[in-house]
Amino acid sequence: MFQRLFGRERHANRAITDALYAQIVAAARQTVFYSHWNVPDTPLGRFEMLSLHMFLFQHRLRGEDGVAQEIAQVLIDEFFLDVDHSLRELGIGDVGVPKRMKKLAKMFYGRTAAYDDALERDDRDGLTGALARNVRPDAGTWPEAPQLADYVADACRQLAAQPSESIVAGTVAFPLAKEVD
């Protein structure tokens, strides 16, 4: 089954990975993040939100084996291909892309380590601080950071409640980010 789904006939599973990646991207592009929570609506701000949602997906599948682990790897590969494509669309040439990809990969893995550490310790202040440092490094204070930290905690709980079988079948559901008055 492995070989059929992810080996020689990897394209047979393309619909599932495309559907999952589209759901991750849709969650990262929720308007509330940019319109009410002051996430910068810039290429870097969108990278931060996509990285965060990719982390949440990977965090959910950590410890799984078999097809779930294969899907997690395929989606990380897809994420970095998408980032590479986005850099090229921004006009960065062939010479500059590898250098920027290395920097963005380092940023991604550094962020995931910080988010994972805060979640594992159930440290909401640590998570809020990590999000503020990464998403709004330009802001002295970011009042909406606790809202994003609450969203991340809710997303972890919601993703944990989803059966692995539905995820590997192509369905993952993130919570809706809500405006807070």
Side-chain angles (χ1 to χ4, degrees):
M1 182 168 155
F2 256 171
Q3 290 299 322
R4 188 171 52 84
L5 290 177
F6 292 99
R8 290 169 279 153
E9 297 179 26
R10 192 173 203 160
H11 297 293
N13 198 43
R14 189 72 195 177
I16 291 172
T17 56
D18 285 350
L20 289 169
Y21 193 71
Q23 291 164 76
I24 293 167
V25 170
R29 290 186 177 164
Q30 293 181 68
T31 306
V32 170
F33 296 138
Y34 308 97
S35 66
H36 289 80
W37 294 3
N38 290 319
V39 171
D41 192 8
T42 62
L44 192 55
R46 291 186 294 273
F47 170 79
E48 291 296 345
M49 295 312 294
L50 184 55
S51 294
L52 177 61
H53 285 82
M54 184 57 65
F55 158 74
L56 289 166
F57 182 82
Q58 296 292 320
H59 185 78
R60 165 57 184 88
L61 291 184
R62 186 177 46 200
E64 300 278 337
D65 53 4
V67 173
Q69 200 56 40
E70 291 288 329
I71 286 176
Q73 183 59 54
V74 168
L75 284 171
I76 280 291
D77 295 345
E78 186 66 26
F79 168 68
F80 283 111
L81 284 172
D82 190 27
V83 170
D84 180 280
H85 180 73
S86 294
L87 289 173
R88 293 174 192 281
E89 282 186 342
L90 289 170
I92 297 169
D94 290 341
V95 174
V97 169
K99 180 180 175 182
R100 286 194 171 84
M101 284 298 297
K102 184 176 181 178
K103 181 179 179 180
L104 291 169
K106 184 177 179 181
M107 288 169 58
F108 173 76
Y109 288 111
R111 282 150 174 70
T112 61
Y115 302 153
D116 188 54
D117 180 57
L119 286 171
E120 292 301 315
R121 292 184 295 115
D122 196 24
D123 180 3
R124 187 63 56 92
D125 290 338
L127 180 60
T128 300
L131 290 164
R133 278 190 311 278
N134 295 321
V135 177
R136 292 299 309 263
D138 59 327
T141 60
W142 180 33
E144 296 82 7
Q147 295 169 347
L148 186 55
D150 289 343
Y151 171 85
V152 169
D154 290 343
C156 280
R157 282 190 295 275
Q158 184 171 324
L159 290 168
Q162 294 175 40
S164 297
E165 296 79 21
S166 70
I167 294 172
V168 300
T171 302
V172 63
F174 289 89
L176 291 176
K178 296 181 178 85
E179 298 173 27
V180 177
D181 296 325

